[in-house]
Amino acid sequence: MQSLYEFWTAAVGNSPLEWVAVLTGFACVWLAARESLWNFPVAIVSCGLYIIVYLRAGLYSDSMLQVMFIALSVYGWYEWLYGGRGKTELPVSHTRRREWVACALFVVGFTVGFGYYLDHNTDATVPHWDSFTTAVSMAAQYLLMRKRLENWWLWILVDIIYVPILWYKQLYPTSALYALYLGLAVYGYLEWRRAMRKEQLQIQEVK
């Protein structure tokens, strides 16, 4: 009975802070899937809260990731507004080959290097998985910032990995959030693909 009580205590959240982070995190991904600029300010709030949540859980790489997300959200906000031709709104597009290569090299290098650092210099419990999810998340965030359709592929991958890791760390509300993120990532991909095809048809009609 004691273990069941502890489970439900953790399941409702270790603190109100985690629940606020969960709710704002869900809102930000839903807004991104809808191509709403509001995803960026909401993301900044959510990431700020998760810096504290992850530090408390010993997920140091993921805590650092939130700082990167805040910086990328500020830049992405500008890109979505003025990153298109003639400083117009940025359209959805496919990821370029050189971007895939750069992302792959970054993920491998960061996972090996930072995973080694965490393993030998901190009490991180899953150092290389922590580093891998951090690296893939940063690559996905960069592609999202550039409105590349395939950013959702990377989010789907990282969400599948995050769910068991966060459950293992007893961050049950956040683990459930990432399960919802998985569904939102699929939804976001379908929505962005539809938007891209619609824009391509409009361009063809103009020609």
Side-chain angles (χ1 to χ4, degrees):
M1 291 297 294
Q2 181 65 24
S3 61
L4 184 61
Y5 171 77
E6 291 173 352
F7 170 81
W8 283 112
T9 300
V12 298
N14 297 324
S15 70
L17 184 71
E18 185 182 355
W19 270 110
V20 177
V22 165
L23 294 174
T24 52
F26 180 84
C28 120
V29 176
W30 184 81
L31 289 167
R34 299 291 299 172
E35 285 190 80
S36 170
L37 280 170
W38 281 100
N39 87 86
F40 293 111
V42 175
I44 291 169
V45 172
S46 182
C47 291
L49 296 175
Y50 266 119
I51 290 174
I52 302 171
V53 171
Y54 285 141
L55 279 176
R56 289 175 177 174
L59 293 170
Y60 304 119
S61 184
D62 284 310
S63 181
M64 184 196 72
L65 173 63
Q66 306 311 306
V67 178
M68 294 295 298
F69 275 172
I70 290 173
L72 287 172
S73 292
V74 173
Y75 184 61
W77 199 347
Y78 176 85
E79 281 293 300
W80 276 34
L81 277 172
Y82 306 112
R85 291 183 179 179
K87 291 191 177 295
T88 58
E89 185 177 343
L90 190 68
V92 178
S93 59
H94 284 297
T95 305
R96 297 171 182 175
R97 182 176 298 179
R98 65 174 179 269
E99 289 175 325
W100 278 127
V101 172
C103 286
L105 291 174
F106 171 76
V107 169
V108 172
F110 188 93
T111 300
V112 173
F114 202 67
Y116 178 87
Y117 171 80
L118 290 178
D119 192 28
H120 290 81
N121 296 279
T122 72
D123 60 350
T125 51
V126 282
H128 287 92
W129 279 113
D130 189 13
S131 298
F132 176 74
T133 51
T134 297
V136 175
S137 295
M138 284 194 286
Q141 184 67 17
Y142 169 77
L143 295 181
L144 185 145
M145 181 186 71
R146 296 296 303 147
K147 261 197 180 180
R148 304 302 191 201
L149 175 65
E150 293 78 14
N151 86 88
W152 297 110
W153 294 357
L154 298 185
W155 287 123
I156 289 170
L157 171 64
V158 83
D159 292 341
I160 289 172
I161 298 172
Y162 263 129
V163 170
I165 288 178
L166 292 167
W167 189 271
Y168 168 72
K169 296 297 295 184
Q170 296 186 333
L171 296 173
Y172 299 119
T174 302
S175 178
L177 174 65
Y178 273 84
L180 293 175
Y181 278 170
L182 181 58
L184 280 178
V186 174
Y187 171 73
Y189 174 76
L190 295 174
E191 282 292 297
W192 281 34
R193 185 177 65 176
R194 181 187 59 79
M196 187 174 67
R197 288 176 176 175
K198 181 180 179 181
E199 184 159 350
Q200 288 173 344
L201 286 174
Q202 290 175 342
I203 292 173
Q204 290 175 1
E205 289 174 359
V206 171
K207 291 181 178 179

